[in-house]
Amino acid sequence: MTQPDSPATPGPDPLNPLDPLKRLDTLDPLDGLYAAARADGGEALDRLLAEIRPLMLRRCARLLPCLDDAEEACQDALLSVARNLDSFTGAGSFRGWVTVIASNAARATYRRLKRRAETAALIAPPEPVDPRTTSVIAGSRLDLLDALEELEARHPELVESVVLRDLASLSYAEVARRTGVPLGTAQARIHRARRFLRPRLSVVEG
């Protein structure tokens, strides 16, 4: 008598996010470096910082026109990553997490340099400068960072969402998770922030 065929063992499901092959296909190399750095520190941490430095410097340079200023912000961001590695909870991507840190470091550097410039201006008014090529130490400029400062003063609840989305390039869903609000609320905050920022920017990126 012929025995019925045994049920076939299901193969890997590439659409299942928990499938091991799917995880291998989508694994970010930074995730492995992060895991090694968190477990061992030392040389593993040095390798991680060396790997993320170009990413973080590019992010800082998007906001700070002078390379020296961007380098300063990047160094602060790397130090923050090294000190706070254990605070990454795994909610969202590690790449997104370090990008947020870089964006915040650039903003903090801008504030610090702007205060320094304002203090220096009280002593001697600065000479006219080209804001595209000079440090904000030499003269502040009306740009995205200035607009974000105004947004933070007038609508502080909107700043984090637009920074995560438009500076750190996180998805709307990840912005919602990080800010702890429903997706629709995150999208509405980003829309309101963009509407506030747009007329305050001399050049609006597409």
Side-chain angles (χ1 to χ4, degrees), residues 18-151:
L18 300 180
D19 184 270
L21 293 183
K22 178 67 173 178
R23 291 200 302 271
L24 288 175
D25 288 343
T26 59
L27 181 64
D28 188 324
L30 290 185
D31 293 339
L33 291 174
Y34 157 73
R38 186 166 182 176
D40 302 328
E43 292 184 3
L45 177 59
D46 291 341
R47 287 195 300 272
L48 174 64
L49 296 178
E51 186 68 23
I52 65 176
R53 187 180 185 281
L55 167 68
M56 302 186 85
L57 181 58
R58 285 194 300 272
R59 179 60 51 176
C60 292
R62 281 187 61 185
L63 299 172
L64 298 169
C66 177
L67 181 58
D68 288 344
D69 295 343
E71 290 273 7
E72 181 178 337
C74 180
Q75 191 61 36
D76 290 344
L78 289 169
L79 183 60
S80 180
V81 170
R83 288 177 172 174
N84 299 288
L85 203 60
D86 289 343
S87 68
F88 175 60
T89 63
S93 68
F94 179 74
R95 185 180 295 270
W97 184 71
V98 300
T99 304
V100 170
I101 290 177
S103 298
N104 288 335
R107 293 182 64 210
T109 298
Y110 182 73
R111 292 192 193 103
R112 184 169 63 249
L113 296 175
K114 188 175 180 181
R115 286 195 300 269
R116 207 179 295 171
E118 290 169 348
T119 300
L122 294 176
I123 302 172
E127 297 179 1
V129 295
D130 183 349
R132 295 169 298 177
T133 58
T134 58
S135 167
V136 289
I137 295 176
S140 61
R141 57 199 173 96
L142 295 176
D143 62 357
L144 177 60
L145 290 169
D146 283 319
L148 283 171
E149 294 298 295
E150 186 179 352
L151 177 65

Side-chain angles (χ1 to χ4, degrees), residues 150-160 192-193 196:
E150 186 179 352
L151 177 65
E152 190 161 30
R154 298 179 60 177
H155 304 287
E157 75 282 2
L158 305 181
V159 175
E160 184 179 10
R192 288 176 58 202
F196 179 91

